[in-house]
Amino acid sequence: MRLADLRGKSVAVWGTGREGRAAVAAIARHEPSRLIVVEDSANYLSVEWTGELAALAPLAGGEHAHAALVSADVVVRSPGVPSTHPYVRELRERGIPVTGGSALWMADNAARTVGVTGSKGKSTTSSLISHLLTAVGRPNAYGGNIGVPLLDMPEAELYVLELSSYQCADLTDSPRVAVVTSLFPEHLDAHGGEREYYRDKLNILRYGPEMIVVNGGDERLRAELGDAVDASGNPPVLSGTGTEYRIEDGWVRGRDQRLFPRDALVLKGRHNESNLCVALTVLDGMGVDVPGQRDVIEAAVRSFTGLPHRLTEIQDPSGLTFVDDTLSTSPYAAMHAVEAYENRPLTVLVGGTDRGLDYSPLRDFLAARELTVIGLPDSGPRILETLSGLPGVRTEPAEDLDDAVRLARRITPVGGVVLLSPAAPSYGRFRNFEHRSEAFAQSIRDSAS
């Protein structure tokens, strides 16, 4: 379904955040017969919906939300509306199409898009692809799940997008280059289960992309690919394996050549090495002569400093290194972070919104390691209980983030690392991940005196 297909139809936009606002503005230009915005949350009256947006689409909330949805010809849901919402199920049972702004945009722009998804690594990999393409003379517009709704993207010849599982779920067109960085259980409550999450994530591959690139080192991802093929019938390209771009003996290699030293990449961790290999594989598949432009690409890799809240180091006069990895929202993400600092004394701060995740994989990962784990509300106590009895793991509870930082200062040896990698979302105690990051930095400053 394209935006132009909404002309003359009754359309309900579900959600009043950035995605919903972008959808209203874009759809209104195509002259639907009716355009209404729906907010079904308990606090819908606190949403400011005035001015031009209200003139384009009146707000239906509370008891009017359901009626507005079921009377529409098409419902355009924001990514924050879960697939498991009872209204979504009812709409589909009634035969009312449910799509998203990302799917509407992709239908018109798939042929000039690189789309990147993954349970971890999608932000770093997509921004790295964009950065490297720019360096080799391929300007592009970068956006997506980073906070720029696709329907707000500027006109460009080439797009590089980070796509969440929620955005991928509604796609009926694959991007020209479809990329998957990793796969592990995430957001199960919003998708309905592990199988459903994998299905929605890998929906990005289902509509004939010109090329599929995946992290060949991710065993679960490889197992879930099934019979996925590109538009020419070729299987996914597995980066990091065989003769594809990979890292060996401290060198980035590809096409049977040594390209540049691994230390050109300032980002820590083997997962970021995989992200680089994926990015180089994508450039190669898009016709960039990577070996021929190795000097330009090496310089671009060296200048890539990564993204905020992902293993961001905060130096401290005490000799400790504090690390903000607040975007770690699963045990697997925390495992990658621990691995990046495994050669230094380490204290890890875990805990946040409790979504009932299984933390036994984290226990298995830490079984042969020595470190301290401090548990934060709300899921922290449950994580500590899961880790109890491991011989090399000291566990300590904390009342809040301030208490955890003060405790970490006391027990972490000089030269060690205090890593905030919560393995859980931020909501509940904090407004969002940025707020949690700000609170962490403030706790570091306050506890330094």
Side-chain angles (χ1 to χ4, degrees), residues 8-153:
K9 289 192 167 61
S10 172
V11 181
V13 173
W14 192 354
T16 55
R18 284 179 295 191
E19 293 278 350
R21 291 166 183 261
V24 166
I27 294 168
R29 293 193 287 269
H30 291 270
E31 300 179 353
S33 63
R34 182 193 76 157
L35 182 58
I36 193 166
V37 68
V38 175
E39 178 56 81
D40 68 308
S41 65
N43 65 342
Y44 78 95
L45 289 176
S46 68
V47 175
E48 182 180 350
W49 195 261
T50 57
E52 183 180 355
L53 286 171
L56 292 173
L59 174 66
E63 63 185 12
H64 303 292
H66 179 266
L69 291 170
V70 298
S71 61
D73 296 325
V74 177
V75 172
V76 179
R77 64 168 177 160
S78 296
V81 177
S83 300
T84 53
H85 195 297
Y87 289 178
V88 173
R89 294 174 178 169
E90 180 183 352
L91 289 167
R92 287 176 170 155
E93 288 171 357
R94 287 171 176 255
I96 298 172
V98 179
T99 187
S102 298
L104 292 170
W105 183 93
M106 191 69 74
D108 288 322
N109 297 282
R112 44 186 175 154
T113 298
V114 178
V116 183
T117 194
S119 302
K120 184 173 178 59
K122 60 183 179 294
S123 302
T124 298
T125 303
S126 56
S127 60
L128 184 53
I129 291 170
S130 175
H131 180 72
L132 296 181
L133 283 171
T134 300
V136 298
R138 301 284 294 276
N140 59 90
Y142 177 54
N145 192 51
I146 61 168
V148 182
L150 301 196
L151 290 172
D152 275 346
M153 292 289 290

Side-chain angles (χ1 to χ4, degrees), residues 180-182 214-222 237-241 274 277-278 336:
V180 188
T181 61
S182 61
V214 304
N215 172 15
D218 189 311
E219 293 183 6
R220 180 183 282 107
L221 172 55
R222 292 177 67 168
V237 179
L238 305 177
S239 77
T241 64
S274 296
C277 292
V278 169
H336 286 308

Side-chain angles (χ1 to χ4, degrees), residues 171-249:
L171 295 181
T172 53
D173 300 85
S174 291
R176 173 189 165 195
V177 181
V179 182
V180 188
T181 61
S182 61
L183 200 62
F184 54 73
E186 252 287 48
H187 307 301
L188 303 188
D189 51 341
H191 291 272
E194 186 171 345
R195 303 306 321 158
E196 291 80 5
Y197 170 70
Y198 295 161
R199 175 202 64 202
D200 290 347
K201 199 74 166 170
L202 297 179
N203 190 48
I204 192 174
L205 310 179
R206 293 197 173 98
Y207 303 99
E210 289 186 17
M211 181 172 68
I212 299 172
V213 176
V214 304
N215 172 15
D218 189 311
E219 293 183 6
R220 180 183 282 107
L221 172 55
R222 292 177 67 168
E224 294 294 333
L225 288 173
D227 57 358
V229 293
D230 63 23
S232 300
N234 299 312
V237 179
L238 305 177
S239 77
T241 64
T243 59
E244 297 301 333
Y245 292 91
R246 62 201 186 282
I247 294 179
E248 292 178 357
D249 303 324

Side-chain angles (χ1 to χ4, degrees), residues 15 170 369 392 446:
D170 290 326
R369 299 173 186 267
D446 291 346

Side-chain angles (χ1 to χ4, degrees), residues 322 349 400-409 440 443-444 447:
F322 289 86
L349 280 53
D400 53 29
L401 188 54
D402 287 341
D403 184 39
V405 171
R406 288 193 298 268
L407 176 58
R409 278 194 182 277
F440 182 52
S443 294
I444 294 168
S447 62

